Structures are given as C-alpha cells and as structure tokens.
Amino acid sequence: MSWTGEHWFNEGSINSFTSTTMTLFSSQRRRVLIGAIAAAILCLPAWAADFTSNRISVRVEGSGDDVVLVPGLASSPKVWEHLVKAVPGHRYHLVQVSGFAGQPVGGNAEGPIAAPVAEEIARYIQTAGLKKPALIGHSMGGTMGLMVVARHPESVSKLMVVDMLPFLGAAFGPPGSTPESLKPMADGFEARIRTATPEARKASGAVTIAGMVNTESMRPVAEADSLSSDQATVARGYREVILTDLTPELSRITVPTTVLYVQQKGIPVTAEQFDMFYKMAYAPLKNVTLKRVDNSAHFIMWDQAQRFQDDVRTFLGSN
C-alpha cells in the first residue's frame, strides 16, 4: 500500500479513510515494535545466551557465517583486527584467554591452560547455538583449535592453524624427542619466565617479539599484550605447549584443515626440507592443506597481511 495521502483519500469515504488510517498506524506500531525487538536480539553478543566462563571471554563482531578466532600465548584479539576489517561478511567470535593481555587470570590460575580452554571454546560454540562455525587459531590458539576438532568433531566445520605444530616440542629437541624427554628443558623455561624480574622480562620480551614480528609498527602491540599478561600463567602456558603432543589425536580429525606456517630465520635447513618436516608432523591428518608463507615471522597476520587475508578468504570460501 502506498504511503501517500492521495492514495488514502482515493480509497473512498471519510469513514473508510479513518478505518484505513487506524489500521495503518496499528500495523506501523506493530512493525516498529517487532523491529525493535529483532534489533535488540541481533545486538546481543552470542555469549549472553547463558554463557559464563572464568577461563575465556568472547566478543562478537560483524554478521554472517560464524568464525571463531583464538589468539596465542600472551596475545589478545588485537591480532585479528586487520582480518576482521578486511574480510567482512562473517560474524567473528573473538576469544580472549584469561590471564593473557590484561585479562584477569580467573580459572587459569593453576594447572593446564590449553586443554581446559579448548573445552570452554567447545562449550561456548554449543551454548551460543553456533552451527558448525569455522575456527582459526594462531600459535597456542592453533593447539586449542586442534583439541576442539579432535575432541568435539561435530562442533566445527573447518579449522585453520596459523604457525603451530601438533607437537611443538619436536622443534626443541633431537629427532625422537618425547614430552618426557623434553620435560627438564620445559621445566627450566617455565622457571626462568616465572622468576624473571620486570626489567629482565621487558628486555627479553622485546628481543623475543622482534624475532616473532617482522613488522616493526606492530611490535608494540605484541609487547604490550605480553607485558600485561600474568607472568606465572604465561610460564605455565609456554611449558604446556612444548610438552603437548597431539600427534596421536590427528587421525580423529576429519574436518578440512588448513595449516599456514613460516620458516623462521636461522633454521639451518632448506625450504624443501622444512616443508617435509611439516608434512611429516601432520601426516596422520588426512584432510589437510599445508601452506608455507615466505617473508614472514610468527605473526603472519601482520607480516604478510594481504597474503593471510587471501588465504582466509579461500579457507572460508568467500573468494
């Protein structure tokens, strides 16, 4: 029906006009009310649906197909900001792990971190009513992503792991290393991180991040996240990712999995040899696509932003 006065008066008598007007106003009020309710529902974050956790918090941005984004050790959702802006058309669920990047330690104050957080991510997906979202995890977030899809195979439709091995310890020791053989080394790392003075922590952190982020303008972001992370939680998390071997669980993963990885500077092998190392590490996972990203350090989303965004578009099927 037209909203012009001419159309209304052409309907007939004054009584007809009055009746039609009242109907229109009543209908309009219903539409406004329904629209307001719908808008309010759409504006609610997914975690508001009875989801509370002392191990993670989740912020939701955008609309479209659901994508869960999990940052790494001592990191925050800031690592995903460029991606979220550059690849619209998705509803992004940005996970923040308690104890990292200024988030209160909460339930991560003791014991393992990755496995319990992976369980919370799976619970969030279920509680928020997400229908098989895609999941992208960077570093330790990739470890958590592997745990989610291996242990909750129906919860996620596809997984992207950004620069993480299923057994990181393999990169720290000789061939044949096991979590047990690497335990003394990992214990030493944890002790040094846990007991570092603020001055030593800041100095060593700057050196570490310079090796993990080639893009100088983004280093302050990583440094700020690291320094605002709980020291003991980071120490335990670092030990945990070194000793966590998910190789036996890879055969349980059936969803399409993409792994982006880099060859850090100073590793004394050829690119082909490094590719073979990753291929062997992920061999039990049958539905996997491995992609080496050149000219990048650990934070691929910053060092090779365009390449990373293109790979994510391909992964999400949004080319």
Side-chain angles (χ1 to χ4, degrees):
M1 178 178 290
S2 169
W3 285 88
T4 64
E6 179 184 1
H7 180 82
W8 288 350
F9 280 107
N10 285 342
E11 294 282 339
S13 67
I14 295 295
N15 289 337
S16 175
F17 164 68
T18 303
S19 175
T20 302
T21 302
M22 293 296 291
T23 300
L24 282 169
F25 283 160
S26 177
S27 175
Q28 183 182 18
R29 288 180 63 187
R30 285 197 299 271
R31 284 197 296 271
V32 170
L33 179 60
I34 292 170
I37 294 171
I41 293 173
L42 289 173
C43 288
L44 285 174
W47 46 261
D50 299 324
F51 181 82
T52 58
S53 173
N54 62 359
R55 289 191 180 271
I56 63 172
S57 62
V58 185
R59 187 176 81 250
V60 183
E61 293 188 16
S63 60
D65 296 335
D66 292 305
V67 183
V68 179
L69 301 176
V70 188
L73 182 73
S75 288
S76 75
K78 293 175 185 176
V79 300
W80 309 115
E81 284 184 353
H82 296 161
L83 171 69
V84 170
K85 292 177 182 177
V87 187
H90 304 278
R91 184 165 64 151
Y92 292 102
H93 304 258
L94 296 99
V95 175
Q96 174 65 68
V97 178
S98 297
F100 297 162
Q103 184 87 348
V105 175
N108 294 329
E110 58 184 12
I113 299 165
V117 167
E119 290 301 307
E120 286 295 87
I121 292 171
R123 186 171 71 87
Y124 170 78
I125 291 170
Q126 180 181 26
T127 303
L130 309 189
K131 305 300 183 184
K132 288 184 173 290
L135 192 156
I136 303 175
H138 174 238
S139 195
M140 188 183 194
T143 297
M144 296 170 186
L146 289 168
M147 289 175 173
V148 171
V149 298
R151 300 170 189 180
H152 301 273
E154 299 302 317
S155 64
V156 173
S157 62
K158 59 185 73 174
L159 170 69
M160 175 180 278
V161 176
V162 184
D163 207 35
M164 191 58 171
L165 289 159
F167 177 32
L168 183 61
F172 282 79
S177 293
T178 65
E180 188 61 32
S181 69
L182 294 172
K183 187 174 180 296
M185 179 196 65
D187 289 344
F189 283 148
E190 179 185 3
R192 284 194 291 275
I193 296 172
R194 185 187 293 270
T195 59
T197 64
E199 296 77 17
R201 186 184 181 197
K202 184 175 182 179
S204 64
V207 172
T208 299
I209 288 169
M212 299 175 75
V213 182
N214 288 345
T215 308
E216 292 187 17
S217 62
M218 299 310 299
R219 288 176 185 170
V221 177
E223 290 179 14
D225 280 352
S226 178
L227 290 174
S228 61
S229 296
D230 180 73
Q231 192 165 337
T233 306
V234 172
R236 282 186 294 106
Y238 192 51
R239 177 186 183 276
E240 184 182 359
V241 293
I242 292 174
L243 299 181
T244 297
D245 185 3
L246 297 177
T247 306
E249 299 188 51
L250 294 182
S251 61
R252 288 195 242 154
I253 298 174
T254 58
V255 301
T257 302
T258 297
V259 179
L260 305 183
Y261 63 94
V262 302
Q263 181 175 347
Q264 295 278 9
K265 296 176 183 178
I267 297 179
V269 298
T270 65
E272 291 73 20
Q273 289 172 324
F274 196 73
D275 290 345
M276 183 56 64
F277 176 62
Y278 255 83
K279 185 175 181 179
M280 293 174 62
Y282 277 96
L285 206 169
K286 301 306 179 184
N287 195 3
V288 64
T289 300
L290 300 170
K291 296 183 177 183
R292 173 165 43 85
V293 179
D294 295 325
N295 302 313
S296 178
H298 185 51
F299 284 74
I300 300 173
M301 64 285 293
W302 290 339
D303 290 342
Q304 288 293 331
Q306 187 61 59
R307 160 70 192 273
F308 178 71
Q309 292 156 16
D310 288 344
D311 281 335
V312 170
R313 288 188 186 95
T314 299
F315 167 72
L316 296 176
S318 51
N319 264 349

